[in-house]
Amino acid sequence: MFDFGAIAKMQSNPSGFINKHYQCWNGYLEKVLRSDMPEEYDRIAVKAVVTLIANWRSSRAGLLHDGVVPSHAVGYFMGFWAWDSWKHAAALADFAPELAKNQVRAMFDYQMDNGMIIDCIYTDIRENNARDSKPPLAAWAVNKIFEATADTAFVEEMYPQLLHYYHWWYLDRDHDSNGICEFGSVDGTIEAAAWESGMDNAIRFDCAKMVKNSDTAWSFDQESVDLNAFLAYEYSLLKKLAVVAKQPFNEKEYADIISTYFYDKESGFFFDKKLDGTFVKEPGSEAYIPFWAGIATKEQMKEAMKLFTDSTKFSTYIPFPTVAADNPKFMPRGYWRGPIWLDQTYFAISGLRRYGYVEEADAYTRQVFDRLHGLKGDGAIHENYETYTGKQLKAPHFSWSAAHLLMLYEEYNRRASVAGL
């Protein structure tokens, strides 16, 4: 119900509400802006904060908690998606932690009895998509919130649900029960399985087929390196969060297996693998994740740097496209078949930083900040960008792009400290 009383209060005392408005925004920016950054990069950070807050939607009808939509400018984006939500929450944790918590809760409001987190939710629950899930980054989001707030109660609240979701992957998306998972779908369609990967039309899935696990669970006949690297990272975070939540943790670790299983020594790179054991040799952004997650070896990173720094492959004008630029199927404007998605570029740059390639990570960050059209000026932050020119593509005012620009800003010119690397 519309609150006319609140409007009357604002009209009777506008200066008081204006002051609160400024206090709110200044509070956000005080938590985000660094004193050692160029003004033009501060502008990018401010724009990213504005983008996320402008896409904030209060709980209503089927959306049981507040959250951030992908873009207020596009009608079909007026809901919450799972991996978008994890990314939004990870960025919001530092300056709007209560919103970050509710963004996570909103998706877990619809957790299935078997543990699955569904793809997306809307105010009208009839529009929700439960045909597939999305890549598992929920524990990452919760850990980011915990690091920013030290809120043990939130961890205790979320931990059982996080573990239930983690278990779901191995129950419904491990066709041959070897501890290595596949993207898949509830309805057995390739379309929904591709959606589950988040990379809707990626080249690596061009020859994929579906295999049945149960009446409500199907997998690609292809084990994905990014999925299993994400799961290995979730494992490490769940182990940490179990201590905070005062819960036992008895899960099997697969990180060492994954770092060798998906690595092709001949190519010096990570690839998906068919169930018959053959590599899907389409070098793409899925290979960034073992480095971002910290499960690759130093030697594997040294070999991968040959591809990462090759201007014909991944060191393009805007760095780290979704597929190597010399792939015959590469399309610089072809959705997940070439353009720059800033989450993937972030995973790559953050991975370089994690393994000690700080100068390279900073140089690539500058390329992103300096070359994306309109980013330092008045242009909106977009869903993706053209690889060779930096031109804006798809939806404007895009939240996960803003989230990852904030992460790049936060990590710039800083050395990662990671045990064992």
Side-chain angles (χ1 to χ4, degrees):
M1 182 179 294
F2 193 78
D3 188 350
F4 289 99
I7 298 297
K9 289 179 182 178
M10 291 181 190
Q11 290 174 332
S12 66
N13 182 26
S15 61
F17 284 93
I18 291 171
N19 288 336
K20 286 183 179 179
H21 172 79
Y22 279 111
Q23 289 172 10
C24 179
W25 279 100
N26 288 334
Y28 292 148
L29 299 183
E30 286 171 4
K31 294 174 183 176
V32 169
L33 295 179
R34 295 168 49 180
S35 61
D36 60 341
M37 293 291 273
E39 183 177 347
E40 57 190 1
Y41 290 177
D42 286 341
R43 182 180 177 85
I44 294 170
V46 171
K47 185 185 294 189
V49 170
V50 170
T51 300
L52 286 164
I53 298 301
N55 284 329
W56 180 353
R57 294 296 177 269
S58 297
S59 61
R60 181 171 68 89
L63 301 179
L64 305 182
H65 284 88
D66 288 16
V68 173
V69 299
S71 171
H72 69 266
V74 180
Y76 56 79
F77 274 146
M78 298 307 291
F80 301 156
W81 273 255
W83 77 327
D84 299 59
S85 294
W86 318 140
K87 296 167 185 176
H88 302 165
L92 290 164
D94 286 331
F95 69 94
E98 293 307 312
L99 176 56
K101 293 173 192 176
N102 284 329
Q103 177 83 85
V104 172
R105 290 179 176 124
M107 293 309 305
F108 277 94
D109 285 334
Y110 289 91
Q111 185 169 29
M112 307 291 281
D113 289 343
N114 63 0
M116 176 183 174
I117 297 298
I118 66 175
D119 180 13
C120 57
I121 59 176
Y122 295 90
T123 53
D124 183 349
I125 62 174
R126 294 172 298 180
E127 297 180 12
N128 291 359
N129 179 35
R131 295 169 61 192
D132 55 271
S133 188
K134 272 293 189 282
L137 285 164
W140 172 58
V142 170
N143 183 64
K144 282 279 195 178
I145 293 167
F146 176 68
E147 289 181 340
T149 65
D151 187 344
T152 57
F154 179 66
V155 174
E156 291 171 356
E157 171 193 346
M158 297 308 307
Y159 183 80
Q161 295 169 277
L162 291 171
L163 189 62
H164 197 22
Y165 182 38
Y166 178 79
H167 286 159
W168 171 79
W169 284 98
Y170 295 95
L171 291 171
D172 274 13
R173 294 291 187 270
D174 182 3
H175 180 72
D176 52 9
S177 300
N178 66 342
I180 307 293
C181 295
E182 311 89 24
F183 288 117
S185 61
V186 171
D187 60 8
T189 64
I190 287 178
E191 177 184 56
W195 290 346
E196 187 162 281
S197 76
M199 303 182 185
D200 303 353
N201 66 334
I203 290 170
R204 59 174 161 149
F205 299 127
D206 282 356
C207 297
K209 296 180 175 59
M210 301 302 294
V211 291
K212 187 174 183 178
N213 305 332
S214 71
D215 288 343
T216 57
W218 296 69
S219 286
F220 274 139
D221 64 342
Q222 182 171 321
E223 297 159 324
S224 286
V225 59
D226 52 341
L227 169 57
N228 287 280
F230 283 138
L231 285 169
Y233 191 46
E234 293 281 287
Y235 168 93
S236 67
L237 296 175
L238 286 167
K239 186 176 182 180
K240 168 188 172 182
L241 296 173
V243 177
V244 178
K246 302 180 181 65
Q247 295 292 324
F249 189 79
N250 301 303
E251 308 303 317
K252 182 178 179 180
E253 185 173 10
Y254 294 99
D256 290 343
I257 297 171
I258 292 164
S259 68
T260 55
Y261 186 83
F262 290 102
Y263 186 72
D264 176 37
K265 292 182 179 179
E266 181 181 62
S267 305
F269 211 58
F270 288 97
F271 299 100
D272 281 9
K273 223 172 185 181
K274 303 293 281 188
L275 291 177
D276 65 9
T278 58
F279 286 109
V280 181
K281 291 193 176 184
E282 303 282 7
S285 60
E286 58 275 9
Y288 306 158
I289 309 306
F291 302 108
W292 175 75
I295 65 171
T297 67
K298 290 181 179 179
E299 292 72 22
Q300 288 169 338
M301 173 55 98
K302 183 178 179 180
E303 288 300 309
M305 284 298 289
K306 297 174 183 177
L307 282 75
F308 288 160
T309 58
D310 187 336
S311 61
T312 68
K313 298 185 184 296
F314 293 106
S315 187
T316 43
Y317 178 74
I318 308 297
F320 301 110
T322 46
V323 67
D326 60 354
N327 189 309
K329 297 180 182 179
F330 176 88
M331 302 168 63
R333 299 172 65 91
Y335 207 50
W336 284 97
R337 305 174 78 87
I340 297 300
W341 290 80
L342 286 171
D343 62 331
Q344 303 301 306
T345 293
Y346 165 77
F347 289 140
I349 292 174
S350 187
L352 264 63
R353 190 177 306 280
R354 178 185 281 264
Y355 283 77
Y357 293 90
V358 176
E359 292 183 4
E360 293 85 346
D362 286 344
Y364 284 130
T365 300
R366 289 193 294 272
Q367 285 181 225
V368 171
F369 286 174
D370 295 343
R371 294 177 177 180
L372 291 184
H373 275 218
L375 190 60
K376 293 189 295 186
D378 295 331
I381 294 172
H382 272 245
E383 182 175 357
N384 50 29
Y385 292 84
E386 206 275 338
T387 310
Y388 292 131
T389 66
K391 289 182 178 178
Q392 300 155 325
L393 300 176
K394 305 300 275 188
H397 311 293
F398 200 72
S399 294
W400 97 27
S401 295
H404 287 288
L405 286 169
L406 277 178
M407 294 179 208
L408 287 171
Y409 173 90
E410 167 61 24
E411 294 179 14
Y412 179 73
N413 199 28
R414 292 179 175 172
R415 183 172 297 276
S417 177
V418 181
L421 294 180

